[in-house]
Each structure stands twice: as structure tokens, then as C-alpha cells.
């Protein structure tokens, strides 16, 4: 099972420009979906990016989106996406974890 850990950046309305810049730098395939395409055509967010993904020739993936108006908080504008190629219901997802137990305690961060 291959897993990927990808950055997911949040922007205050300029995700399209940022992802287009990253595409110029890294190359690859850029896919953009707007809030309007996702069923919110009559809002101020209609042309903003609900989800964007750049897959580079070096097998890096960068994802980004515009936060809804008024919700952008600089310093908290990122997350990490962990994904894998295992189908749902495969019976192996989380099979190393025992219910009610923590497989590894959280590490202390200095």
C-alpha cells in the first residue's frame, strides 16, 4: 500500500494565482475546481478555488484552496493530507491499531 503525505495550503482568495505560479515553477498537471462548480454559483466565492491540485513530474503533489470569506487566519493556513491507494472496505485500513490503544504515544515537541 503506497501512502502519500501532501501539503494543503489555504489562501484568502488567491489560490488560483498561487497554484498557477507553482505549476510554472515545478511543471505538471494542475486541476482546479471552484465553489461555483461545486454547487455554490450565487455566492461571492463562486469563482474561488474550492480544491486545487498540482501533480508534478517529480511525483510531488501540492493541494490548495481559498478559504470562505472571513475565515482565513494567517498562520493557520495549511494542513496535511494523508492518502493511500487502498480502497475503502479493504479490511486492512487501521489494522495495526488495537481498539482503545494508542499505537505510539505523541512525541513531545520542543
Amino acid at each position: 500500500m503506497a501512502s502519500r503525505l501532501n501539503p494543503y495550503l489555504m489562501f484568502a482568495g488567491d489560490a488560483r494565482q498561487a497554484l498557477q505560479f507553482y505549476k510554472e515553477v515545478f511543471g505538471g498537471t494542475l486541476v482546479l475546481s471552484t465553489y461555483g462548480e461545486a454547487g455554490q454559483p450565487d455566492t461571492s466565492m463562486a469563482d474561488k478555488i474550492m480544491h486545487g491540485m498540482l501533480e508534478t513530474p517529480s511525483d510531488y503533489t501540492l493541494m490548495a484552496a481559498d478559504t470562505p470569506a472571513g475565515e482565513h487566519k494567517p498562520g493557520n493556513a495549511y494542513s496535511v493530507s494523508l492518502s493511500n491507494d487502498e480502497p475503502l472496505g479493504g479490511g486492512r485500513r487501521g489494522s495495526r491499531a488495537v481498539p482503545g490503544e494508542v499505537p505510539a504515544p505523541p512525541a513531545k515537541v520542543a
Side-chain angles (χ1 to χ4, degrees):
M1 165 178 67
S3 294
R4 294 169 41 156
L5 193 62
N6 304 311
Y8 201 119
L9 306 175
M10 307 303 277
F11 291 88
D14 52 0
R16 180 186 308 272
Q17 294 88 336
L19 284 167
Q20 288 171 338
F21 170 77
Y22 291 129
K23 183 178 190 283
E24 289 177 24
V25 172
F26 298 112
T29 303
L30 178 60
V31 177
L32 301 173
S33 301
T34 66
Y35 283 92
E37 293 168 336
Q40 298 180 28
D42 299 325
T43 69
S44 62
M45 296 292 292
D47 65 337
K48 302 299 179 191
I49 302 303
M50 181 193 76
H51 178 71
M53 183 168 66
L54 174 64
E55 293 188 289
T56 72
S58 300
D59 208 26
Y60 294 120
T61 300
L62 175 64
M63 296 183 284
D66 287 312
T67 55
E71 293 183 21
H72 185 76
K73 295 181 172 88
N76 293 335
Y78 62 91
S79 62
V80 176
S81 169
L82 176 62
S83 55
N84 64 53
D85 57 5
E86 181 178 314
L88 290 175
R92 295 187 337 213
R93 185 179 301 246
S95 61
R96 293 184 190 143
V98 176
E101 291 183 20
V102 178
K108 185 173 183 176
V109 177

